[in-house]
């Protein structure tokens, strides 16, 4: 156990005891960096570990600095409403500068092997789902709502409700990418640096971006994801 992890053990133990049943909490499954602050109506059930093997440090939040030390000394916060929850389906790492906001009855689902670089922002008022093996560059945003309600002037009803975001397995979100509400991405989709994604991509193993959003190239996969292509029927992924 390295020094950074040792320093966060007291805070992690406190939050694990608040969030999980005692039998899980004592295994210290979630490590919270010393710069992480948790807000909102936290209770057992706010965080869910959907994995048969609960183990120490399987989830790391705000512990690592990220690329180029970009997260160093950057505060992280996680805020949940009473009916909101975060579900972790396996190992996960999110670097310093992390900002998570799950409001109303929103759900954030995080697949196995998800790793997000420094200063990621995740916000759900409905559903944000990150598939297995999703990775990102620094300073990305994934948000399934508009930040504020917009009302019909005639009767006051909300016209801009949240729309779920589903990011497929082994996708890569380039640094400074924003994925906005209603977007669905197929497996093995690469989003280029600085993209704003408002449309869905149902073509797997592809580069998707541009203005307007479109498939820029197919048959492309990150080198660290090449071996995972065997998880899919090759003619279906159009390689």
């Amino acid at each position: 156990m390295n020094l950074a992890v040792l320093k966060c053990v007291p805070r992690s133990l406190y939050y694990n005891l608040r969030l999980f049943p005692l039998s899980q909490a004592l295994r210290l499954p979630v490590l919270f960096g010393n710069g992480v602050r948790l807000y909102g109506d936290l209770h057992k059930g706010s965080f869910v570990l959907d994995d048969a093997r609960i183990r120490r440090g399987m989830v790391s939040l705000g512990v690592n600095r990220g690329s180029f030390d970009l997260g160093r000394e950057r505060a992280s916060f996680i805020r949940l409403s009473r009916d909101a929850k975060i579900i972790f389906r396996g190992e996960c790492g999110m670097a310093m500068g992390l900002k998570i906001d799950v409001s109303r009855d929103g759900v954030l689902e995080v697949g196995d092997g998800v790793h997000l670089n420094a200063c990621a922002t995740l916000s759900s008022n409905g559903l944000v789902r990150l598939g297995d093996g999703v990775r990102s560059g620094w300073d990305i945003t994934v948000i399934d709502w508009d930040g504020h309600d917009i009302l019909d002037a005639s009767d006051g009803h909300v016209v801009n409700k949240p729309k779920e975001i589903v990011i497929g397995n082994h996708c890569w979100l380039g640094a400074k990418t924003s994925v906005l509400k209603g977007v669905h991405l197929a497996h093995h989709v690469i989003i280029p640096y600085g993209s704003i994604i408002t449309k869905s991509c149902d073509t797997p193993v592809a580069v998707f971006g541009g203005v307007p959003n479109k498939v820029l190239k197919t048959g492309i996969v990150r080198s660290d994801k090449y071996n995972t292509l065997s998880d899919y029927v090759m003619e279906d992924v159009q390689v």
Side-chain angles (χ1 to χ4, degrees):
M1 190 180 294
N2 62 39
L3 183 59
V5 172
L6 285 172
K7 286 181 177 179
C8 73
V9 166
R11 174 182 294 274
S12 298
L13 181 58
Y14 169 75
Y15 281 131
N16 276 262
L17 289 170
R18 283 190 65 182
L19 295 168
F20 301 114
L22 184 61
S23 60
Q24 291 185 355
L26 292 178
R27 298 184 186 185
L28 210 64
V30 181
L31 297 177
F32 294 93
N34 284 334
V36 177
R37 299 291 182 270
L38 272 69
Y39 302 97
D41 195 342
L42 301 174
H43 54 87
K44 290 178 172 59
S46 295
F47 279 49
V48 177
L49 300 174
D50 185 14
D51 190 315
R53 298 185 304 119
I54 305 300
R55 52 216 179 269
R56 184 180 67 194
M58 59 184 287
V59 175
S60 171
L61 302 176
V63 176
N64 299 315
R65 296 176 178 176
S67 296
F68 314 118
D69 273 359
L70 287 172
R72 185 175 184 179
E73 299 181 358
R74 296 288 297 271
S76 302
F77 79 79
I78 301 172
R79 180 170 54 206
L80 287 88
S81 300
R82 177 167 183 79
D83 295 325
K85 67 176 62 176
I86 304 175
I87 303 171
F88 295 98
R89 302 199 184 280
E91 294 186 356
C92 168
M94 301 184 187
M96 294 177 180
L98 172 69
K99 297 171 180 61
I100 294 177
D101 182 83
V102 189
S103 302
R104 301 174 183 174
D105 58 352
V107 176
L108 171 62
E109 293 185 13
V110 183
D112 185 29
V114 170
H115 290 277
L116 304 183
N117 215 318
C119 306
T121 298
L122 306 173
S123 182
S124 173
N125 269 201
L127 173 65
V128 172
R129 178 181 296 147
L130 307 181
D132 294 345
V134 170
R135 304 289 177 97
S136 84
W138 58 90
D139 200 19
I140 62 112
T141 297
V142 181
I143 181 170
D144 72 351
W145 63 303
D146 296 324
H148 298 278
D149 288 340
I150 298 175
L151 309 181
D152 186 301
S154 64
D155 61 12
H157 78 271
V158 177
V159 299
N160 64 329
K161 294 183 179 180
K163 296 180 181 178
E164 69 176 23
I165 293 174
V166 178
I167 297 178
N169 296 342
H170 308 297
C171 287
W172 170 259
L173 307 181
K176 298 186 179 296
T177 289
S178 295
V179 179
L180 305 185
K181 71 179 192 180
V183 168
H184 287 219
L185 299 180
H187 301 317
H188 282 283
V189 171
I190 296 173
I191 304 298
Y193 181 103
S195 297
I196 298 176
I197 304 300
T198 61
K199 299 184 181 300
S200 296
C201 176
D202 59 5
T203 303
V205 194
V207 179
F208 183 73
V211 181
N213 297 157
K214 60 185 178 182
V215 174
L216 301 174
K217 196 164 187 177
T218 59
I220 298 295
V221 63
R222 275 174 54 91
S223 60
D224 60 333
K225 300 300 181 186
Y226 181 76
N227 291 333
T228 64
L229 286 173
S230 61
D231 297 341
Y232 308 101
V233 179
M234 300 310 290
E235 53 268 26
D236 289 343
V237 298
Q238 302 177 17
V239 174

